[in-house]
Amino acid sequence: MNRRRTPRSASADDLLSTLQDLTARARREVEFHQARVELAQALQRDMLPAVLPSLPGLRSAAGYAPARHGLDIGGDWYDGFPLADGALGFAIGDVQGHDVEAAAFMGQVRIAMRAIAGTVSDPGEILGRTNDLLLSVDSGLFATCTFLRLDPATWELHSARAGHVACVWATAGGRSGVTEDPGGLPLGIEPGEGYPVTRRTLDSDGAIVLLTDGVVEGPSLLIEDGLERVRRLIAGHVGSSAARLAGMVLGAAEDTGHEDDAAVLVLRHGAAHGGPR
């Protein structure tokens, strides 16, 4: 009986060639993705301020941690600069999306906010004008943000939120909490959005911590639990320097199980014009 060999659809050489092509294509895609990640990292690093403003009775510090696996970089930022009326402005925010586009949009938000703050100093108006400006360029992205204005003459703090995570605060006298300030929609969603301003006076030695959700939320941690953990951390170390507090809070982000980037901004303030310890 004759046995006929079953014809093969491809020779061993053809199969090897196909595997080599697929391997080369996968390598190019990995290299392309890595190049985008490195570009986003460079944009992020160069756009974040190297120095934050301070004054007698106030020290500020910040920190940024890229995504754990380098996939979700480019969205978070912080900033601090003098305002037109002599007050200090501080901001923290988070762009929807990641990678190069988010890093570039983050730069647009920061530039727009600084330009607008050169003519007005009310946090609600700064956020409102920034929102309308971002909508006019029609990028398709949006960003959450908190903006603070500190008046060095009265030691009053004015704040406004655009869909951003709450702040955490603590005083040397043993009080602490998570802010429940009202806010508006994230920037870049609805034209003409209003952003209410909350006013408070820094009448005791303490710290205020602004952060992004990558610090307090992740697959293994609900945002409420994350905020509570930061509150306890700050309350227990409120006498530390701004830089040490920022490092401690940023380090706590490792326990969230997140794959997002994370940013924190700390204002370590004294009572009225008494300097922080």
Side-chain angles (χ1 to χ4, degrees), residues 206-258:
I208 297 173
V209 180
L210 291 76
L211 39 78
T212 59
D213 56 7
V215 178
V216 292
E217 184 180 33
S220 61
L221 189 67
L222 296 176
I223 190 169
E224 294 82 5
D225 296 334
L227 286 169
E228 173 60 19
R229 185 170 61 173
V230 172
R231 183 199 66 78
R232 293 196 303 266
L233 179 65
I234 296 301
H237 300 85
V238 68
S240 300
S241 68
R244 184 163 184 262
L245 289 174
M248 293 171 64
V249 174
L250 200 58
E254 291 298 317
D255 298 329
T256 65
H258 69 86

Side-chain angles (χ1 to χ4, degrees), residues 25 29 65 72 93 106 111 113 128 162-163 167 180 185-186 209 232:
R25 185 184 307 171
E29 291 178 355
D72 293 337
M106 177 270 287
I111 292 171
M113 194 167 290
C167 300
E180 299 293 342
L185 292 173
V209 180
R232 293 196 303 266

Side-chain angles (χ1 to χ4, degrees), residues 159-178:
S159 63
R161 284 200 302 159
H164 198 70
V165 63
C167 300
V168 177
W169 60 273
T171 69
R175 296 182 294 125
S176 61
V178 177

Side-chain angles (χ1 to χ4, degrees), residues 72-88:
D72 293 337
I73 189 170
D76 292 10
W77 90 92
Y78 56 83
D79 204 359
F81 50 90
L83 300 178
D85 60 358
L88 296 182

